Amino acid sequence: AIGLAGIGLIGNYFATMAYSVCVSAALCAMGFACLPRTLALCNLYMFLQSALYVSIAGAMDFWYTAGPECVADGPHFDYTYYNTYTQLIATVASSAGLWLFQTFLSEWPFRRIFWISTLLQIGASFFDLVMVRRWNETALGIPDRLMYILGDAIIMPVCTMLNFMPSVVLTSKLCPKNMESTMYAILAGFANFGMNVSKSVGVFLIERSGIKTSAPCDFEALPSLIVVCHGLLPLLAVPLTFLLIPDVKMSENLLDGPECATLNTHLDRGVSGDDLETTALTGTQDSPGRPSAQVIGASKFDDILDADGMDGNGGGVPGDSDKQRAVSRSPRRDSSDSHT
């Protein structure tokens, strides 16, 4: 984040975008090196989901509030209406979205809710396209203020909340016992950095598309940007769920797998991070340590599984009895954990 701010001071939009993309790739690679595979895959999805919804708020804000000298047939919203009244309505709409999620969707599988929320968010962006194209007045006969309230002030906050809540639930479900604060900070930090990447890419695309927000203004490319940044790119998150998100319900525990059960067992026994490697390689613990809050690399998990989960034939697949012991030792969460 500090590097991104420093690059931003230079004023080179391409350098800012390139820096964001390169750092993102490096951080995602480090995630696979330092996190268990399930956590790393979900972490990558939440980052990509945030980054793929490219923010073009700068151009949209100027178009909605520009005067007649900039956008002759624009809505010309005043700042009181645009920043105050609509935000109050959006707050109420967000609460409605939270109620809808808690009442009807909290027991759905993660994949399905991500599909629905992504498609709804894309559909809500269609209201911006309708207004920029002026179809609300020429074809539908709906005034600008009413159209904006129906779209960006009501439907968009509801869809955004329906898209946000599954990410929060997934993040909380991926936090192993005794590592909740560290793991939640890592996962939430990746998602927030994805939003910063989307803003950097959005600024670059606005600049490259030739949009000008000062006289003489030029918003000719804005409809195309809406289609690409708020329609086509977010749509890529749907097939990614098959590769990155586990096919389980939001009320189920994601940390019942052998590797996470072994991690929780060692933490319960008071094995430190340094002792985990010794235990994995020798099958014994030299000395009791305190629970470690550090993130344990994927290679150490593989070693633990080789030591604790070998079947009778010496293979790398845990035997049935070993699985039962690992699961029985792992703490299970009540189904109410899914309710935020």
Side-chain angles (χ1 to χ4, degrees):
I2 296 176
L4 186 61
I7 295 293
L9 294 176
I10 301 177
N12 189 319
Y13 300 122
F14 177 77
T16 303
M17 185 202 68
Y19 174 84
S20 300
V21 173
C22 293
V23 171
S24 301
L27 289 176
C28 291
M30 291 175 61
F32 278 92
C34 299
L35 298 175
R37 182 173 178 80
T38 301
L39 274 70
L41 290 174
C42 294
N43 180 55
L44 177 60
Y45 175 82
M46 289 185 288
F47 170 80
L48 291 176
Q49 183 191 43
S50 299
L52 288 174
Y53 194 84
V54 177
S55 174
I56 53 174
M60 293 301 305
D61 291 342
F62 271 103
W63 188 86
Y64 280 122
T65 59
E69 69 283 356
C70 187
V71 183
D73 61 341
H76 313 311
F77 293 151
D78 60 85
Y79 287 104
T80 302
Y81 169 81
Y82 189 70
N83 292 326
T84 304
Y85 298 151
T86 59
Q87 292 303 313
L88 291 175
I89 297 174
T91 301
V92 177
S94 296
S95 301
L98 180 60
W99 176 82
L100 288 173
F101 173 83
Q102 182 72 14
T103 304
F104 300 104
L105 306 178
S106 59
E107 297 292 329
W108 282 30
F110 278 105
R111 289 182 180 178
R112 186 184 303 174
I113 187 60
F114 277 126
W115 300 339
I116 299 298
S117 61
T118 300
L119 294 176
L120 287 175
Q121 194 172 31
I122 293 173
S125 301
F126 183 70
F127 284 85
D128 288 330
L129 181 62
V130 169
M131 291 196 65
V132 172
R133 286 293 190 183
R134 311 307 291 147
W135 294 336
N136 62 300
E137 290 189 341
T138 60
L140 303 176
I142 302 177
D144 289 329
R145 292 191 174 226
L146 178 58
M147 189 69 181
Y148 185 80
I149 288 178
L150 292 176
D152 284 56
I154 295 180
I155 296 181
M156 179 61 79
V158 171
C159 296
T160 300
M161 183 60 67
L162 293 178
N163 195 54
F164 172 73
M165 287 305 301
S167 300
V168 174
V169 175
L170 180 60
T171 301
S172 63
K173 290 285 187 178
L174 291 172
C175 297
K177 183 181 178 181
N178 296 328
M179 300 174 64
E180 292 90 343
S181 299
T182 301
M183 194 63 64
Y184 194 93
I186 292 174
L187 298 175
F190 266 87
N192 292 334
F193 187 69
M195 297 179 186
N196 290 331
V197 172
S198 75
K199 294 177 182 178
S200 300
V201 176
V203 170
F204 172 76
L205 292 178
I206 291 173
E207 180 72 14
R208 294 293 295 177
S209 63
I211 292 178
K212 297 180 180 179
T213 57
S214 57
C217 299
D218 185 357
F219 291 96
E220 183 178 355
L222 186 55
S224 299
L225 277 184
I226 295 175
V227 172
V228 173
C229 298
H230 290 175
L232 298 180
L233 289 179
L235 195 60
L236 296 176
V238 174
L240 288 177
T241 57
F242 292 98
L243 301 175
L244 305 177
I245 299 297
D247 189 17
V248 297
K249 293 184 178 180
M250 283 187 284
S251 58
E252 297 180 7
N253 195 345
L254 296 180
L255 301 182
D256 280 342
E259 67 176 25
C260 292
T262 305
L263 169 63
N264 288 331
T265 300
H266 281 280
L267 290 174
D268 287 339
R269 291 174 179 173
V271 183
S272 67
D274 293 336
D275 293 333
L276 275 174
E277 185 172 12
T278 303
T279 305
L281 295 176
T282 64
T284 60
Q285 179 183 344
D286 295 336
S287 61
R290 300 179 61 186
S292 174
Q294 67 177 338
V295 180
I296 303 172
S299 61
K300 292 185 179 181
F301 277 100
D302 294 337
D303 293 338
I304 295 172
L305 289 176
D306 290 340
D308 289 349
M310 299 290 282
D311 62 7
N313 298 323
V317 179
D320 292 337
S321 60
D322 295 320
K323 288 182 180 179
Q324 295 173 358
R325 288 196 298 270
V327 172
S328 65
R329 292 196 302 262
S330 71
R332 297 187 61 87
R333 301 184 179 182
D334 188 80
S335 59
S336 61
D337 288 350
S338 64
H339 301 288
T340 57

